[in-house]
Amino acid sequence: MGHHITALFPSYVYKLKAFSSSISVRGLSRICLANRNEVAVFLGRNDEFSLEMKSLSTMTGTILVQAGDPAKISLEIENAIDEHRLEDTWKFYEQHMQIDGFPRKSVVNKILAALSESLDVLWLEKAFGIVERIFEKGKQNLLQKETLIYLSFSLAKVQLSVPASTVLRKLVEMEQFPHVSAWSTTLAYMCQTGSGAYLAAELILEIGYLFQDSRIDPRKKSNAPLLAMKPNTTAFNIALAGCLLFGTHRKAEQLLDMMPRVGVRLDTDLLIVMAHIYERNGRREELRKLQRYINDAHNLSDVQLRQFYNCLLQCHLKLGDLGSASNMVLEMLRKAKAARSSYAAASMVVNAVENDGKSTCVLGSRPTSCHNESSKGGSEFDRPFKISLVSYEEYLRDRNFVKLDTEAKEVLNTMLAKLQTQVELLTSERGIIQPTEEILVKLVKAFLEAGKIKDLAEFLIKVEREDSPVSNDDSLIVHVINSCILLGWLDQAHDLLDEMVLAGVNIASSVYSSLLKAYCQANRAGDVAALLRDARRAGIQLDSSSYQALIQSKLVEDDTQGALHLFKEMKVAKIPKTGHQEFEKLVKECEEGSEAKLMGKLLHEIKEGQRVDSGVHDWNNVIHFFSKKRLMQDAEKALKKMRSLGHTPNAQTFHSMVTAYAAIGGNYIEVTELWGEMKSLASATPMKFDQELLDSVLYTFVRGGFFSRANEVVEMMERGNMFVDKYKYRTLFLKYHKTLYRGKTPKFQTEGQHRKREEGLIFKKWVGLN
């Protein structure tokens, strides 16, 4: 066979001898005889065979030669990378893996850098796959620290948060500690998604744990790389802002608890972010402590001050402290009135403009429009940030990570700007902080729901004195009474009217007319008579529509004499037929969905706004206090008292207790009992348990080896499409249960032991430990 091939194709035999070490002549004969067309060559079809062999040589000859030489494949990989041919790079890499395993260290890192630089999701996933395979094979020495940091940064940029966090965690495990300016940039891009923000908080907690309570001696030079990784103010700001934007407020509070133990310095941005977190969790006392720092800070902008006082107002409302909230609003109105009438206030405004808004702000009054100067100035943050492509070479040259640090702060500024847009109760105009109509609406609603009509009347009267309306018919008092009438709350409307009259406030005749017609429509004759007496005593002249309603109600009651008397009274008074149309116009605007200004906002808030149970917030704060101090018996007593008073525990209640039990350790029975109560509440009420609570319960069960319960939690989280950090639980399992369920199944075991083993294996498979 070899003689025939040599005779027919001497030139090809010379080439084929070059790789005879990897492909023998007998092997080549088998390849040539693989099909009938090739067999025909030896029967005389020399031309056809020659064409086939020529094609084979041109297409695969070079690759086959290189296949026997890993060094030449490595060279082809490097050439393909230099020419930006990623498809060829990947093909050559796969050939090298088939022949000789991983390429040498420099080539591996060059491949990872090229794939990372592409910012293409497909190539980045392949790059992460290479890293995973290297770790599986235990060849971490092939990876360079700089390459992995750059890969993590690129993964985060394309929203691959889980792989990005995994790479960072692997770096820490390898003790190849990334600089904080580098990994905080990765954090910033991770925080653009909900799962990424949650992972960012987990990373801060994991890395910050290494530095708690001055564990690392800064005097030792060997600790310098580790200390360079210590989370700084920017890193905490990024993680906290991510938690706020995606609703993981209790996870953010865990980060706040860690900050003093790590030694993080406060800046103005961090103060405001802390205020947002305390407000979301109902921590008013913490907000009051924070107010001391706010008062001492001289470089706060009016935008930042507005956010802080907005948080304080929200917290007053959340806890049902209407007195503090209303006093705060009235103080703003008084100071605004003084500022408008004083020359000193004008000078302050000029200074504020000259200093680009960085001046002391005054608590002011309700603006006529929300589109004020400060909101316009803040609109620049609404534009998306520019993502600049940092090449691998630029990244390597930037030893101090200046570019990455700048990029992280740009992303942080964008996140903080999003928080500014959530401020709705206050605004600022020319350096003066002022309440918006939204806070007035929320206060009115809260007073009405609490049945505090007298307090509401006093508040409305004081508002009118500080911020006089343009016309009597357009006052806040009129809008509130009209809203009550439209909602059918006629008793509250009448009580408010009485309180106003007693206080000597002049009420527009349109209010009497609207309430009178509502009483007539509801067939409340006694109330009609009482209101009619009050109107006449106050010297109010009713309009024609009111008389028509009164006459109609008399006819319904078969009181023709009364109807005739009213008709004569109307004729004698020479009342024009066109009566008050303001109320009907407002009703029509509300029904059509058009902007009905304050009245429309009030109606929407009362109908659509959620009713706040301040009692639950109060008891949550009590339970949180005991749990934080690890006084669990007192926390349990508070929980029982909370239930006995008719308040239903919520996710925040259980989260405080579960995290406290987890911190103490060993209280798995108590957590199991809480889990049972949570499940019964979930089935009997519309209450939902969020990711933070279920994650804390899952952590406790895995730590204690309660895998049956852990699987229940996992099932609930997956059913709710919640993100679960499998890497964390895989690490936790390996730390506490590494040798569990590794051997063969015992021949003799009880049904309970068998079920427990099965549940453990199910969880082990779920975290990826097959």
Side-chain angles (χ1 to χ4, degrees), residues 591-629:
E591 289 175 350
E592 291 175 353
S594 59
E595 186 180 357
K597 298 183 181 179
L598 183 58
M599 182 175 168
K601 291 179 181 178
L602 180 58
L603 290 171
H604 181 270
E605 178 66 26
I606 292 173
K607 290 178 179 178
E608 306 297 333
Q610 294 182 349
R611 189 182 181 96
V612 177
D613 189 348
S614 57
V616 172
H617 288 291
D618 287 332
W619 281 106
N620 278 347
N621 280 330
V622 172
I623 292 169
H624 176 75
F625 173 80
F626 288 135
S627 298
K628 199 171 182 180
K629 299 292 184 182

mmCIF file of all heavy atoms in Angstrom, residues 591-629:
data_model
loop_
_atom_site.group_PDB
_atom_site.id
_atom_site.type_symbol
_atom_site.label_atom_id
_atom_site.label_comp_id
_atom_site.label_asym_id
_atom_site.label_seq_id
_atom_site.Cartn_x
_atom_site.Cartn_y
_atom_site.Cartn_z
ATOM 1 N N GLU A 591 -63.318 62.568 37.299
ATOM 2 C CA GLU A 591 -63.875 61.410 36.595
ATOM 3 C C GLU A 591 -63.210 61.200 35.244
ATOM 4 O O GLU A 591 -63.019 60.073 34.796
ATOM 5 C CB GLU A 591 -65.387 61.592 36.415
ATOM 6 C CG GLU A 591 -66.175 61.452 37.713
ATOM 7 C CD GLU A 591 -67.644 61.751 37.511
ATOM 8 O OE1 GLU A 591 -68.000 62.246 36.424
ATOM 9 O OE2 GLU A 591 -68.433 61.487 38.441
ATOM 10 N N GLU A 592 -62.855 62.306 34.589
ATOM 11 C CA GLU A 592 -62.220 62.196 33.276
ATOM 12 C C GLU A 592 -60.731 61.890 33.381
ATOM 13 O O GLU A 592 -60.067 61.639 32.377
ATOM 14 C CB GLU A 592 -62.409 63.509 32.497
ATOM 15 C CG GLU A 592 -63.856 63.757 32.086
ATOM 16 C CD GLU A 592 -64.023 65.117 31.415
ATOM 17 O OE1 GLU A 592 -63.037 65.890 31.411
ATOM 18 O OE2 GLU A 592 -65.125 65.389 30.899
ATOM 19 N N GLY A 593 -60.194 61.912 34.579
ATOM 20 C CA GLY A 593 -58.788 61.591 34.764
ATOM 21 C C GLY A 593 -57.854 62.733 34.476
ATOM 22 O O GLY A 593 -56.645 62.565 34.424
ATOM 23 N N SER A 594 -58.379 63.920 34.261
ATOM 24 C CA SER A 594 -57.519 65.072 34.000
ATOM 25 C C SER A 594 -56.938 65.577 35.316
ATOM 26 O O SER A 594 -57.367 65.205 36.404
ATOM 27 C CB SER A 594 -58.317 66.182 33.318
ATOM 28 O OG SER A 594 -59.397 66.582 34.135
ATOM 29 N N GLU A 595 -55.940 66.448 35.219
ATOM 30 C CA GLU A 595 -55.261 66.931 36.416
ATOM 31 C C GLU A 595 -56.150 67.888 37.181
ATOM 32 O O GLU A 595 -56.420 69.006 36.750
ATOM 33 C CB GLU A 595 -53.956 67.626 36.006
ATOM 34 C CG GLU A 595 -53.121 68.031 37.202
ATOM 35 C CD GLU A 595 -51.845 68.722 36.782
ATOM 36 O OE1 GLU A 595 -51.610 68.832 35.568
ATOM 37 O OE2 GLU A 595 -51.091 69.171 37.661
ATOM 38 N N ALA A 596 -56.615 67.445 38.340
ATOM 39 C CA ALA A 596 -57.490 68.270 39.162
ATOM 40 C C ALA A 596 -56.726 68.885 40.320
ATOM 41 O O ALA A 596 -57.286 69.169 41.372
ATOM 42 C CB ALA A 596 -58.651 67.441 39.679
ATOM 43 N N LYS A 597 -55.419 69.044 40.144
ATOM 44 C CA LYS A 597 -54.540 69.694 41.105
ATOM 45 C C LYS A 597 -54.636 69.008 42.466
ATOM 46 O O LYS A 597 -54.608 67.794 42.571
ATOM 47 C CB LYS A 597 -54.851 71.176 41.163
ATOM 48 C CG LYS A 597 -54.614 71.891 39.837
ATOM 49 C CD LYS A 597 -54.856 73.382 39.955
ATOM 50 C CE LYS A 597 -54.628 74.070 38.617
ATOM 51 N NZ LYS A 597 -54.870 75.517 38.678
ATOM 52 N N LEU A 598 -54.734 69.828 43.524
ATOM 53 C CA LEU A 598 -54.640 69.295 44.876
ATOM 54 C C LEU A 598 -55.757 68.312 45.194
ATOM 55 O O LEU A 598 -55.532 67.260 45.795
ATOM 56 C CB LEU A 598 -54.655 70.453 45.874
ATOM 57 C CG LEU A 598 -54.487 70.081 47.348
ATOM 58 C CD1 LEU A 598 -53.191 69.336 47.573
ATOM 59 C CD2 LEU A 598 -54.546 71.328 48.206
ATOM 60 N N MET A 599 -56.983 68.631 44.802
ATOM 61 C CA MET A 599 -58.112 67.752 45.104
ATOM 62 C C MET A 599 -57.947 66.395 44.426
ATOM 63 O O MET A 599 -58.225 65.354 45.018
ATOM 64 C CB MET A 599 -59.417 68.414 44.665
ATOM 65 C CG MET A 599 -60.655 67.596 44.990
ATOM 66 S SD MET A 599 -62.160 68.494 44.583
ATOM 67 C CE MET A 599 -63.369 67.203 44.723
ATOM 68 N N GLY A 600 -57.497 66.420 43.186
ATOM 69 C CA GLY A 600 -57.272 65.166 42.471
ATOM 70 C C GLY A 600 -56.210 64.311 43.144
ATOM 71 O O GLY A 600 -56.345 63.095 43.260
ATOM 72 N N LYS A 601 -55.125 64.954 43.600
ATOM 73 C CA LYS A 601 -54.061 64.212 44.294
ATOM 74 C C LYS A 601 -54.567 63.615 45.598
ATOM 75 O O LYS A 601 -54.224 62.485 45.960
ATOM 76 C CB LYS A 601 -52.880 65.146 44.563
ATOM 77 C CG LYS A 601 -52.116 65.572 43.311
ATOM 78 C CD LYS A 601 -50.977 66.520 43.663
ATOM 79 C CE LYS A 601 -50.251 66.959 42.389
ATOM 80 N NZ LYS A 601 -49.162 67.914 42.691
ATOM 81 N N LEU A 602 -55.384 64.401 46.298
ATOM 82 C CA LEU A 602 -55.923 63.919 47.569
ATOM 83 C C LEU A 602 -56.840 62.719 47.361
ATOM 84 O O LEU A 602 -56.755 61.718 48.087
ATOM 85 C CB LEU A 602 -56.675 65.060 48.266
ATOM 86 C CG LEU A 602 -57.304 64.735 49.617
ATOM 87 C CD1 LEU A 602 -56.247 64.251 50.591
ATOM 88 C CD2 LEU A 602 -58.030 65.956 50.185
ATOM 89 N N LEU A 603 -57.713 62.803 46.381
ATOM 90 C CA LEU A 603 -58.606 61.676 46.088
ATOM 91 C C LEU A 603 -57.823 60.431 45.700
ATOM 92 O O LEU A 603 -58.144 59.321 46.133
ATOM 93 C CB LEU A 603 -59.581 62.066 44.974
ATOM 94 C CG LEU A 603 -60.656 63.102 45.340
ATOM 95 C CD1 LEU A 603 -61.392 63.553 44.092
ATOM 96 C CD2 LEU A 603 -61.620 62.533 46.357
ATOM 97 N N HIS A 604 -56.796 60.614 44.886
ATOM 98 C CA HIS A 604 -55.980 59.473 44.452
ATOM 99 C C HIS A 604 -55.248 58.851 45.630
ATOM 100 O O HIS A 604 -55.175 57.625 45.761
ATOM 101 C CB HIS A 604 -54.984 59.928 43.386
ATOM 102 C CG HIS A 604 -54.127 58.817 42.858
ATOM 103 N ND1 HIS A 604 -52.907 58.481 43.430
ATOM 104 C CD2 HIS A 604 -54.327 57.942 41.827
ATOM 105 C CE1 HIS A 604 -52.397 57.460 42.776
ATOM 106 N NE2 HIS A 604 -53.237 57.117 41.804
ATOM 107 N N GLU A 605 -54.694 59.668 46.508
ATOM 108 C CA GLU A 605 -53.953 59.164 47.663
ATOM 109 C C GLU A 605 -54.871 58.383 48.606
ATOM 110 O O GLU A 605 -54.505 57.313 49.110
ATOM 111 C CB GLU A 605 -53.296 60.318 48.408
ATOM 112 C CG GLU A 605 -52.537 59.921 49.660
ATOM 113 C CD GLU A 605 -51.316 59.072 49.375
ATOM 114 O OE1 GLU A 605 -50.750 59.180 48.261
ATOM 115 O OE2 GLU A 605 -50.930 58.272 50.257
ATOM 116 N N ILE A 606 -56.088 58.905 48.833
ATOM 117 C CA ILE A 606 -57.013 58.221 49.747
ATOM 118 C C ILE A 606 -57.498 56.898 49.159
ATOM 119 O O ILE A 606 -57.607 55.881 49.860
ATOM 120 C CB ILE A 606 -58.202 59.146 50.076
ATOM 121 C CG1 ILE A 606 -57.721 60.339 50.916
ATOM 122 C CG2 ILE A 606 -59.293 58.385 50.810
ATOM 123 C CD1 ILE A 606 -58.766 61.398 51.162
ATOM 124 N N LYS A 607 -57.759 56.905 47.848
ATOM 125 C CA LYS A 607 -58.286 55.691 47.213
ATOM 126 C C LYS A 607 -57.202 54.649 46.965
ATOM 127 O O LYS A 607 -57.399 53.455 47.214
ATOM 128 C CB LYS A 607 -58.952 56.054 45.879
ATOM 129 C CG LYS A 607 -60.258 56.820 46.022
ATOM 130 C CD LYS A 607 -60.820 57.166 44.648
ATOM 131 C CE LYS A 607 -62.136 57.916 44.748
ATOM 132 N NZ LYS A 607 -62.662 58.293 43.415
ATOM 133 N N GLU A 608 -56.041 55.105 46.450
ATOM 134 C CA GLU A 608 -55.004 54.169 46.000
ATOM 135 C C GLU A 608 -53.886 53.959 47.011
ATOM 136 O O GLU A 608 -53.218 52.932 46.984
ATOM 137 C CB GLU A 608 -54.391 54.668 44.681
ATOM 138 C CG GLU A 608 -55.398 54.944 43.575
ATOM 139 C CD GLU A 608 -56.138 53.710 43.132
ATOM 140 O OE1 GLU A 608 -55.575 52.614 43.265
ATOM 141 O OE2 GLU A 608 -57.279 53.837 42.643
ATOM 142 N N GLY A 609 -53.628 54.954 47.852
ATOM 143 C CA GLY A 609 -52.508 54.850 48.791
ATOM 144 C C GLY A 609 -52.720 53.749 49.810
ATOM 145 O O GLY A 609 -53.840 53.451 50.226
ATOM 146 N N GLN A 610 -51.606 53.136 50.236
ATOM 147 C CA GLN A 610 -51.684 52.056 51.215
ATOM 148 C C GLN A 610 -51.873 52.621 52.623
ATOM 149 O O GLN A 610 -51.280 53.637 52.987
ATOM 150 C CB GLN A 610 -50.400 51.220 51.171
ATOM 151 C CG GLN A 610 -50.217 50.455 49.870
ATOM 152 C CD GLN A 610 -48.963 49.608 49.889
ATOM 153 O OE1 GLN A 610 -48.126 49.742 50.778
ATOM 154 N NE2 GLN A 610 -48.827 48.728 48.917
ATOM 155 N N ARG A 611 -52.680 51.948 53.376
ATOM 156 C CA ARG A 611 -52.890 52.360 54.767
ATOM 157 C C ARG A 611 -51.709 51.890 55.607
ATOM 158 O O ARG A 611 -51.326 50.724 55.556
ATOM 159 C CB ARG A 611 -54.190 51.760 55.308
ATOM 160 C CG ARG A 611 -54.596 52.319 56.661
ATOM 161 C CD ARG A 611 -55.854 51.658 57.175
ATOM 162 N NE ARG A 611 -56.263 52.215 58.453
ATOM 163 C CZ ARG A 611 -57.154 53.172 58.592
ATOM 164 N NH1 ARG A 611 -57.752 53.653 57.522
ATOM 165 N NH2 ARG A 611 -57.471 53.642 59.786
ATOM 166 N N VAL A 612 -51.127 52.793 56.357
ATOM 167 C CA VAL A 612 -49.935 52.488 57.150
ATOM 168 C C VAL A 612 -50.355 52.040 58.536
ATOM 169 O O VAL A 612 -51.120 52.729 59.218
ATOM 170 C CB VAL A 612 -49.020 53.729 57.245
ATOM 171 C CG1 VAL A 612 -47.819 53.433 58.130
ATOM 172 C CG2 VAL A 612 -48.573 54.163 55.857
ATOM 173 N N ASP A 613 -49.859 50.873 58.960
ATOM 174 C CA ASP A 613 -50.106 50.375 60.307
ATOM 175 C C ASP A 613 -48.906 50.777 61.163
ATOM 176 O O ASP A 613 -47.891 50.087 61.209
ATOM 177 C CB ASP A 613 -50.281 48.854 60.284
ATOM 178 C CG ASP A 613 -50.748 48.316 61.629
ATOM 179 O OD1 ASP A 613 -50.715 49.078 62.616
ATOM 180 O OD2 ASP A 613 -51.139 47.132 61.695
ATOM 181 N N SER A 614 -49.006 51.911 61.812
ATOM 182 C CA SER A 614 -47.876 52.421 62.594
ATOM 183 C C SER A 614 -47.552 51.510 63.774
ATOM 184 O O SER A 614 -46.398 51.452 64.224
ATOM 185 C CB SER A 614 -48.189 53.835 63.102
ATOM 186 O OG SER A 614 -49.378 53.845 63.872
ATOM 187 N N GLY A 615 -48.547 50.779 64.270
ATOM 188 C CA GLY A 615 -48.298 49.863 65.385
ATOM 189 C C GLY A 615 -47.308 48.775 65.034
ATOM 190 O O GLY A 615 -46.453 48.401 65.848
ATOM 191 N N VAL A 616 -47.396 48.261 63.816
ATOM 192 C CA VAL A 616 -46.454 47.223 63.371
ATOM 193 C C VAL A 616 -45.036 47.785 63.347
ATOM 194 O O VAL A 616 -44.076 47.134 63.795
ATOM 195 C CB VAL A 616 -46.855 46.690 61.979
ATOM 196 C CG1 VAL A 616 -45.775 45.768 61.428
ATOM 197 C CG2 VAL A 616 -48.185 45.958 62.052
ATOM 198 N N HIS A 617 -44.886 49.010 62.843
ATOM 199 C CA HIS A 617 -43.557 49.632 62.805
ATOM 200 C C HIS A 617 -43.003 49.845 64.208
ATOM 201 O O HIS A 617 -41.811 49.633 64.463
ATOM 202 C CB HIS A 617 -43.623 50.956 62.051
ATOM 203 C CG HIS A 617 -43.814 50.799 60.572
ATOM 204 N ND1 HIS A 617 -42.835 50.272 59.746
ATOM 205 C CD2 HIS A 617 -44.862 51.087 59.782
ATOM 206 C CE1 HIS A 617 -43.284 50.255 58.499
ATOM 207 N NE2 HIS A 617 -44.506 50.738 58.489
ATOM 208 N N ASP A 618 -43.871 50.258 65.126
ATOM 209 C CA ASP A 618 -43.428 50.475 66.507
ATOM 210 C C ASP A 618 -42.908 49.180 67.128
ATOM 211 O O ASP A 618 -41.828 49.150 67.734
ATOM 212 C CB ASP A 618 -44.577 51.035 67.357
ATOM 213 C CG ASP A 618 -44.864 52.493 67.027
ATOM 214 O OD1 ASP A 618 -43.941 53.196 66.592
ATOM 215 O OD2 ASP A 618 -46.025 52.924 67.195
ATOM 216 N N TRP A 619 -43.685 48.100 66.983
ATOM 217 C CA TRP A 619 -43.271 46.836 67.576
ATOM 218 C C TRP A 619 -42.060 46.239 66.849
ATOM 219 O O TRP A 619 -41.216 45.583 67.476
ATOM 220 C CB TRP A 619 -44.445 45.845 67.565
ATOM 221 C CG TRP A 619 -45.406 46.121 68.680
ATOM 222 C CD1 TRP A 619 -46.635 46.689 68.587
ATOM 223 C CD2 TRP A 619 -45.182 45.863 70.070
ATOM 224 N NE1 TRP A 619 -47.207 46.808 69.824
ATOM 225 C CE2 TRP A 619 -46.341 46.304 70.759
ATOM 226 C CE3 TRP A 619 -44.132 45.308 70.792
ATOM 227 C CZ2 TRP A 619 -46.460 46.206 72.141
ATOM 228 C CZ3 TRP A 619 -44.252 45.216 72.180
ATOM 229 C CH2 TRP A 619 -45.398 45.655 72.831
ATOM 230 N N ASN A 620 -41.968 46.473 65.560
ATOM 231 C CA ASN A 620 -40.776 46.014 64.832
ATOM 232 C C ASN A 620 -39.513 46.670 65.363
ATOM 233 O O ASN A 620 -38.456 46.026 65.458
ATOM 234 C CB ASN A 620 -40.923 46.309 63.335
ATOM 235 C CG ASN A 620 -41.747 45.275 62.618
ATOM 236 O OD1 ASN A 620 -42.026 44.196 63.152
ATOM 237 N ND2 ASN A 620 -42.164 45.571 61.408
ATOM 238 N N ASN A 621 -39.619 47.946 65.708
ATOM 239 C CA ASN A 621 -38.460 48.640 66.272
ATOM 240 C C ASN A 621 -38.083 48.078 67.638
ATOM 241 O O ASN A 621 -36.896 47.953 67.966
ATOM 242 C CB ASN A 621 -38.746 50.138 66.380
ATOM 243 C CG ASN A 621 -38.579 50.855 65.058
ATOM 244 O OD1 ASN A 621 -37.779 50.461 64.224
ATOM 245 N ND2 ASN A 621 -39.359 51.906 64.849
ATOM 246 N N VAL A 622 -39.094 47.736 68.439
ATOM 247 C CA VAL A 622 -38.829 47.141 69.760
ATOM 248 C C VAL A 622 -38.139 45.788 69.598
ATOM 249 O O VAL A 622 -37.125 45.500 70.252
ATOM 250 C CB VAL A 622 -40.143 46.990 70.555
ATOM 251 C CG1 VAL A 622 -39.912 46.205 71.840
ATOM 252 C CG2 VAL A 622 -40.743 48.356 70.870
ATOM 253 N N ILE A 623 -38.694 44.940 68.726
ATOM 254 C CA ILE A 623 -38.117 43.608 68.501
ATOM 255 C C ILE A 623 -36.715 43.713 67.896
ATOM 256 O O ILE A 623 -35.807 42.956 68.257
ATOM 257 C CB ILE A 623 -39.057 42.781 67.594
ATOM 258 C CG1 ILE A 623 -40.353 42.461 68.344
ATOM 259 C CG2 ILE A 623 -38.382 41.499 67.117
ATOM 260 C CD1 ILE A 623 -41.452 41.880 67.486
ATOM 261 N N HIS A 624 -36.529 44.677 66.989
ATOM 262 C CA HIS A 624 -35.206 44.884 66.393
ATOM 263 C C HIS A 624 -34.184 45.286 67.458
ATOM 264 O O HIS A 624 -33.033 44.814 67.449
ATOM 265 C CB HIS A 624 -35.287 45.956 65.317
ATOM 266 C CG HIS A 624 -33.963 46.299 64.711
ATOM 267 N ND1 HIS A 624 -33.317 45.472 63.817
ATOM 268 C CD2 HIS A 624 -33.146 47.381 64.866
ATOM 269 C CE1 HIS A 624 -32.171 46.024 63.449
ATOM 270 N NE2 HIS A 624 -32.039 47.175 64.080
ATOM 271 N N PHE A 625 -34.598 46.143 68.399
ATOM 272 C CA PHE A 625 -33.691 46.575 69.464
ATOM 273 C C PHE A 625 -33.242 45.382 70.305
ATOM 274 O O PHE A 625 -32.043 45.198 70.565
ATOM 275 C CB PHE A 625 -34.391 47.619 70.343
ATOM 276 C CG PHE A 625 -33.609 48.003 71.566
ATOM 277 C CD1 PHE A 625 -32.574 48.916 71.477
ATOM 278 C CD2 PHE A 625 -33.906 47.440 72.798
ATOM 279 C CE1 PHE A 625 -31.836 49.274 72.607
ATOM 280 C CE2 PHE A 625 -33.176 47.779 73.936
ATOM 281 C CZ PHE A 625 -32.141 48.698 73.841
ATOM 282 N N PHE A 626 -34.206 44.560 70.750
ATOM 283 C CA PHE A 626 -33.847 43.399 71.569
ATOM 284 C C PHE A 626 -32.997 42.394 70.783
ATOM 285 O O PHE A 626 -32.045 41.816 71.316
ATOM 286 C CB PHE A 626 -35.117 42.722 72.096
ATOM 287 C CG PHE A 626 -35.826 43.499 73.171
ATOM 288 C CD1 PHE A 626 -37.205 43.669 73.137
ATOM 289 C CD2 PHE A 626 -35.126 44.069 74.218
ATOM 290 C CE1 PHE A 626 -37.862 44.388 74.123
ATOM 291 C CE2 PHE A 626 -35.776 44.794 75.218
ATOM 292 C CZ PHE A 626 -37.140 44.954 75.173
ATOM 293 N N SER A 627 -33.347 42.204 69.514
ATOM 294 C CA SER A 627 -32.605 41.243 68.694
ATOM 295 C C SER A 627 -31.163 41.700 68.473
ATOM 296 O O SER A 627 -30.230 40.899 68.491
ATOM 297 C CB SER A 627 -33.298 41.055 67.344
ATOM 298 O OG SER A 627 -34.602 40.535 67.511
ATOM 299 N N LYS A 628 -30.992 43.002 68.273
ATOM 300 C CA LYS A 628 -29.646 43.543 68.049
ATOM 301 C C LYS A 628 -28.782 43.390 69.293
ATOM 302 O O LYS A 628 -27.567 43.166 69.205
ATOM 303 C CB LYS A 628 -29.758 45.017 67.654
ATOM 304 C CG LYS A 628 -28.534 45.569 66.964
ATOM 305 C CD LYS A 628 -28.796 46.953 66.417
ATOM 306 C CE LYS A 628 -27.573 47.475 65.678
ATOM 307 N NZ LYS A 628 -27.818 48.835 65.136
ATOM 308 N N LYS A 629 -29.421 43.497 70.478
ATOM 309 C CA LYS A 629 -28.705 43.321 71.739
ATOM 310 C C LYS A 629 -28.613 41.851 72.151
ATOM 311 O O LYS A 629 -28.051 41.531 73.200
ATOM 312 C CB LYS A 629 -29.418 44.104 72.858
ATOM 313 C CG LYS A 629 -29.502 45.610 72.630
ATOM 314 C CD LYS A 629 -28.143 46.263 72.708
ATOM 315 C CE LYS A 629 -28.253 47.777 72.574
ATOM 316 N NZ LYS A 629 -26.932 48.435 72.610
#
